Amino acid sequence: FKAFDDIIEKYNIEKIKTIGDAYLCVSGMPIEIENSAEQLVSSALDIQAYIQKAKAEKIAEGKQYFEARVGIHTGPVVSGVVGNKKFAFDIWGDTVNIASRMETNGEVGEVNISAATYELVKGQFRCKYQGEFKENTNAIGMYFVEGALVEK
């Protein structure tokens, strides 16, 4: 996860926590940035590229390797410090839940974004529609990010 920390720092993204093999981060808070969705998608692509490179190295060495699915959604969150004795900063709400569903409904090696995020980044990234899933009674569209439209 140290490599992930280095990648997200490059994009001004805030790590919230790790839970088992999950890595939760947020863009656009605590300081709002104009292109937070674009920054988050760029960092996710960099993370997947890092994982693919590390995987190839591990395979060449005959060792076990790590793979990941990435899910991204855009929207409001509630944040705060939780706990009575051991304090931790956290975020929660529908946006966090939908981002989690994006990850769950994604595929290994892919960055799966919601339709809400797609609308914000479609001018910067090539995306492929992947269908939708139901969250409560709402159908939410999903897109795999295939890469940047223009390399940076």
Side-chain angles (χ1 to χ4, degrees):
F1 288 141
K2 182 183 178 324
F4 297 177
D5 290 347
D6 293 341
I7 291 168
I8 69 165
E9 182 178 359
K10 176 174 128 181
Y11 293 99
N12 298 312
I13 294 168
E14 184 75 24
K15 178 171 79 174
I16 303 299
K17 61 184 168 183
T18 59
I19 309 165
D21 64 354
Y23 186 92
L24 177 63
C25 59
V26 63
S27 182
M29 73 172 278
I31 299 168
E32 190 172 332
I33 56 175
E34 185 177 318
N35 58 349
S36 62
E38 180 183 347
Q39 295 290 81
L40 195 55
V41 171
S42 293
S43 72
L45 290 172
D46 284 2
I47 286 170
Q48 287 291 27
Y50 169 82
I51 291 171
Q52 289 303 313
K53 182 178 180 233
K55 176 182 172 181
E57 291 170 0
K58 295 290 184 184
I59 289 172
E61 296 169 359
K63 296 181 178 177
Q64 292 185 337
Y65 53 87
F66 178 79
E67 294 182 296
R69 297 182 306 249
V70 175
I72 299 173
H73 180 57
T74 302
V77 297
V78 177
S79 65
V81 176
V82 294
N84 291 330
K85 293 184 180 184
K86 185 168 183 161
F87 301 106
F89 180 77
D90 206 352
I91 61 173
W92 57 94
D94 286 341
T95 299
V96 177
N97 295 337
I98 293 170
S100 176
R101 301 308 175 275
M102 288 293 116
E103 182 269 330
T104 302
N105 287 287
E107 294 179 11
V108 168
E110 299 290 344
V111 176
N112 193 28
I113 64 174
S114 67
T117 302
Y118 170 75
E119 287 302 318
L120 296 172
V121 302
K122 64 185 177 186
Q124 291 86 30
F125 298 95
R126 290 184 320 280
C127 299
K128 182 178 177 187
Y129 182 70
Q130 293 300 313
E132 52 188 38
F133 76 97
K134 294 269 191 197
E135 177 72 12
N136 299 322
T137 59
N138 299 321
I140 298 174
M142 301 182 295
Y143 295 80
F144 282 160
V145 180
E146 297 178 326
L149 287 174
V150 177
E151 294 302 318
K152 298 175 184 181

